[in-house]
Amino acid sequence: MASASCTKPTFIPAFTSASSSSKSSSKSSFPSFLKSTSIPISLKLSNSYNFQRSLVVNYALKTTVSSQFPVLTSKDLESLSSASTPTILVSEKLGGAGLEVLRSFGKVECLYDLSPEELCSKISSFDALIVRSGTKVTRQPPSLVVLSLMHQQANTVAAAEHGIALLTAMSRNVAQADASIKAGKWQRNKYVGVSLVGKTLAVMGFGKVGSEVARRAKGIGMNVIAHDPYAPSDRARAVGVDLVSFDQAISTADFISLHMPLTPTTSKVFNDDTFSKMKKGVRLINVARGGVIDEDALVRALESGIVAQAALDVFTEEPPPKESKLVQHENVTVTPHLGASTKEAQEGVAIEIAEAVVGALKGELSATAVNAPMVAPEVMSELAPYVVLAEKLGRLAVQLVTGGNGIKFVKVVYRSARDPDDLDTRLLRAMIIKGIIEPISASFVNLVNADFTAKQKGLHIIEERIAMVDSSPEFPVHSIQVQISNVDSKFASAISENSQISIEGKVKYGMPHLTCMGSFGVDVSLEGNLLLCRQVDQPGMIGRVGNLLAENNVNVSFMSVGRTVGRTKAIMAIGVDEEPDCIALRKIGDVPAIEEFVFLKL
Ligand SMILES: NC(=O)C1=CN([C@@H]2O[C@H](COP(=O)(O)OP(=O)(O)OC[C@H]3O[C@@H](n4cnc5c(N)ncnc54)[C@H](O)[C@@H]3O)[C@@H](O)[C@H]2O)C=CC1
Ligand SMILES: O=C(O)C(=O)COP(=O)(O)O
């Protein structure tokens, strides 16, 4: 497995793989909208290009990387198209049809199994580099077109089929029985399986892959339920599946199949606590991401018999350590991240990628471009802080949703003193969509694909402009309000009088601030993490919560208290640099005057 980690001084340290914690060292004033999040394929256009002239294209939110790319102007796109015949290095296996497309456009060389050093030295003599997820590109040459190989429609079907393959193979001990017979044994009694018909399968995450798994499982006679706090219930009904709460799903299922993305909310969501709520003898399938399971807790659950069997395609660390207790467990069936590995998926994806690469090299705008231009640079620089605010508000609003009928209706209200023709809200809308979709999905959202992605997810976005006649048009936007209707919230105080989750923010001193939540006015900078508490408005509350955070060595960065009427209810919004541990959070919840609280990562 190669790792391209170039350290030449001319290279800008721009991205790194998820497993590495290093961050971009190029301090850019550009908002996170311009961050690339997936690097399975990268193309370096030409050494002579400077960084500003790279088109960064991203197909999926697969391998998380941290990088920042300046937005392109239309001139940059023209420059891309004037590149001479490119030379393309393919360092991992790419489908033949994709190679043909590339060969029809440039000079292609396939050099597999290069050492990191060899790859690093080779890169400089090529215009383009194409890798799969086996290569970690940790530094970016000044001019890169970056494409991700994964997450096309073909992958969805492939992953769903693999989920079903693991489900059926596990229930009939296919892998274990195969190993046994090859070891010269004939153990018919040992490998008696369990039937699937009439059993309940809980699909956790009813997105592209989950819904396809559900469809197929129903076809083999299973009773399918699903948990997905953000999926529209009508979409589930159309497949004949009931959406249920997390606890209901895990406590009633005989089989649990995981199809949610790895996010701060889903990280290790299957842990000692949640395993203890499952039916004894439950069977678990994971074709999503290893990190959603606490793997040590799964070993304990297998040993105690809570989990009878597990079938895993993905692991926290890939490949997992050889001595991994989980992988070696006799009731565990494993495959080496094969979900997307069918000939059809690989060919289909290879063609799409190759066409997109060629398109990018021709200077065409890809719907997966991370730094796609569409907004004039002057407008972009004026809107930059509002872009950050818009994304944070979307991110915050979606984290407050806990269930209901799925996220369907989002209303955005802009208050502005500008003439309607003088405020282009497309970028802000795209960022709100990005903020709402990315924390809960495997999709990558940018300016070009935002509206399409929202539509695909069944999200209706309505925008309203409220003219601020008595204020100065010096600033483009006075405030942005995001409302999500028909949903339940994990923080009831975020629900406004119109029964919607409603949050509002402003840019203050160039920084995004939360200024209203539900009916409560607050004022807290949207940075780092946020702890929201609703409490009885009485003396000593700030001190008590502050002390509990201090005991946990958590530093408070901002704090604000808002109330409707004095000495009744108040909301305390506390910005914290670190994440309080579960004990500290439990202690905060145990303070008698605190009626509800929620911890959110921004
Ligand atoms: N093993 C493999 O080779 C492959 C793995 N995958 C992985 O499968 C997963 C699903 O992929 P897609 O279906 O394409 O993504 P998707 O974005 O279409 O669906 C994910 C669904 O999970 C839901 N979700 C988000 N947070 C949740 C939570 N806390 N609880 C329950 N549901 C939640 C979202 O609302 C969404 O409906 C991703 O992690 C993806 O990376 C996808 C393809 C191949
Ligand atoms: O599309 C996905 O989410 C995948 O996990 C596919 O990963 P791969 O490139 O086959 O290692």
Side-chain angles (χ1 to χ4, degrees), residues 61-62 151 155-156 159 204-210 227-231 246 259-263 265-266 287-289 313-314 337-340 439-443 457:
L61 191 73
K62 290 286 149 270
H151 214 55
N155 279 0
T156 298
M204 309 300 284
F206 198 74
K208 292 189 287 296
V209 178
H227 168 69
D228 188 327
Y230 317 106
F246 183 89
H259 301 288
M260 63 255 274
L262 179 60
T263 68
T265 321
T266 62
V287 190
R289 282 292 176 265
D313 184 47
V314 283
H337 203 140
L338 292 181
I440 60 166
S441 125
S443 306
K457 302 258 172 207

Side-chain angles (χ1 to χ4, degrees), residues 266-457:
T266 62
S267 171
K268 294 193 177 172
V269 69
F270 296 93
N271 51 40
D272 287 316
D273 182 38
T274 48
F275 283 128
S276 72
K277 294 178 183 166
M278 293 178 187
K279 248 187 181 177
K280 197 164 165 62
V282 68
R283 289 173 166 79
L284 193 70
I285 301 110
N286 188 7
V287 190
R289 282 292 176 265
V292 301
I293 297 178
D294 176 340
E295 292 177 341
D296 294 335
L298 177 55
V299 171
R300 288 189 284 274
L302 282 156
E303 276 162 9
S304 71
I306 293 179
V307 175
Q309 287 182 297
L312 310 170
D313 184 47
V314 283
F315 306 88
T316 306
E317 189 188 330
E318 293 186 1
K322 275 204 184 95
E323 66 285 1
S324 159
K325 270 190 173 179
L326 182 60
V327 171
Q328 300 301 338
H329 200 285
E330 63 165 343
N331 295 338
V332 175
T333 305
V334 286
T335 50
H337 203 140
L338 292 181
S341 296
T342 62
K343 283 184 181 166
E344 293 80 0
Q346 294 303 308
E347 280 295 291
V349 166
I351 293 172
E352 281 183 52
I353 294 298
E355 283 175 349
V357 169
V358 169
L361 289 168
K362 285 179 180 165
E364 290 164 10
L365 184 58
S366 164
T368 49
V370 174
N371 54 345
M374 256 169 76
V375 180
E378 321 75 76
V379 176
M380 179 66 215
S381 89
E382 188 187 36
L383 281 183
Y386 302 91
V387 161
V388 179
L389 172 68
E391 183 180 355
K392 298 247 175 178
L393 288 175
R395 214 164 252 282
L396 187 61
V398 76
Q399 287 185 70
L400 291 165
V401 175
T402 190
N405 297 320
I407 304 179
K408 266 186 165 175
F409 300 105
V410 177
K411 184 169 173 182
V412 185
V413 181
Y414 308 96
R415 286 188 168 74
S416 168
R418 288 269 171 96
D419 192 82
D421 292 340
D422 204 11
L423 177 64
D424 184 345
T425 60
R426 283 176 305 170
L427 185 53
L428 301 175
R429 184 178 69 236
M431 296 315 294
I432 290 167
I433 294 172
K434 181 181 172 74
I436 291 175
I437 290 179
E438 286 193 349
I440 60 166
S441 125
S443 306
F444 176 79
V445 180
N446 67 26
L447 185 53
V448 183
N449 71 10
D451 288 331
F452 173 74
T453 311
K455 205 169 163 196
Q456 233 186 5
K457 302 258 172 207

Side-chain angles (χ1 to χ4, degrees), residues 43 54-55 88 95 100 107-108 143 196 244 431 449-450 488 522 546:
L43 279 203
S54 307
L55 177 65
I88 303 162
E100 266 174 44
K107 192 169 166 291
V108 181
S143 305
L196 298 174
V244 299
M431 296 315 294
N449 71 10
D488 300 329
V522 289

